[in-house]
Amino acid sequence: MNISAIVSEDVVTVDIEDTILDVATVLREERVGSAVVLNANGEVAGMVTDRDLVVYGQMYADSLDQTLVNEVLTVDVVSVSPDTSIEAVTETMREEGVRRVPVVEYGDLHGIVTLDDIVVHLAGELDNQKLRNIAAVIESESPTRSADSLESETE
């Protein structure tokens, strides 16, 4: 099975010209831990995580509203195409030490796949209560699941 079946097309993105403070605001509002950074042409220029903001952004504590995200982003982004197998993606994640991988085809951002996405998918495929419990925890913490839950509560 390839990752196109589990890829999230709702990718949080920020512009390379955004400030660290802008990015932190987006991550908080979207309730996510990372964003894909796009250049002026809409191409993937890097990734930024909440950890990047804390570990590297603290060097700019006095100028968060003026320092651009390109000071803290990861530029060596590992990406995959939509037809990449789940096994190949997990191998790439392991080899590269990443948990989030943009899905890119012909330079266009199609989505993102995370380790959480893969765990939830595998829990659904395997008959294992322990995995289903882990998947339930992941889903309860997922921003999209939380937003869906909020919408259904208000209806």
Side-chain angles (χ1 to χ4, degrees):
M1 171 181 274
N2 62 37
I3 59 158
S4 63
I6 63 170
V7 66
S8 173
E9 295 175 353
D10 189 22
V11 184
V12 175
T13 62
V14 295
D15 294 325
I16 199 158
E17 295 296 320
D18 286 344
T19 66
I20 292 174
L21 187 59
D22 293 335
V23 172
T25 300
V26 168
L27 295 182
R28 183 187 72 240
E29 288 174 351
E30 296 293 330
R31 299 183 58 217
V32 296
S34 69
V36 176
V37 181
L38 303 177
N39 66 21
N41 296 325
E43 302 164 331
V44 176
M47 291 273 297
V48 64
T49 67
D50 47 6
R51 185 175 189 276
D52 293 331
L53 296 180
V54 172
V55 173
Y56 305 113
Q58 57 86 23
M59 295 185 300
Y60 306 99
D62 295 335
S63 59
L64 295 176
D65 61 340
Q66 299 166 8
T67 305
L68 300 182
V69 70
N70 67 358
E71 296 292 335
V72 299
L73 64 82
T74 300
V75 292
D76 295 328
V77 177
V78 177
S79 64
V80 295
S81 66
D83 62 350
T84 304
S85 71
I86 291 175
E87 294 81 12
V89 172
T90 57
E91 185 175 322
T92 298
M93 288 176 164
R94 180 182 52 80
E95 289 173 352
E96 299 295 330
V98 297
R99 297 178 4 195
R100 304 164 180 104
V101 180
V103 179
V104 178
E105 187 171 41
Y106 305 116
D108 294 329
L109 180 64
H110 284 270
I112 193 162
V113 65
T114 68
L115 184 58
D116 286 355
D117 297 330
I118 293 169
V119 170
V120 169
H121 170 74
L122 291 176
E125 293 285 313
L126 302 172
D127 186 24
N128 183 304
Q129 185 59 45
K130 291 177 184 176
L131 277 178
R132 286 195 299 270
N133 289 342
I134 292 169
V137 170
I138 291 169
E139 288 180 311
S140 72
E141 295 295 319
S142 170
T144 54
R145 300 280 182 201
S146 298
D148 291 345
S149 298
L150 289 175
E151 286 176 14
S152 64
E153 288 175 11
T154 59
E155 292 177 354

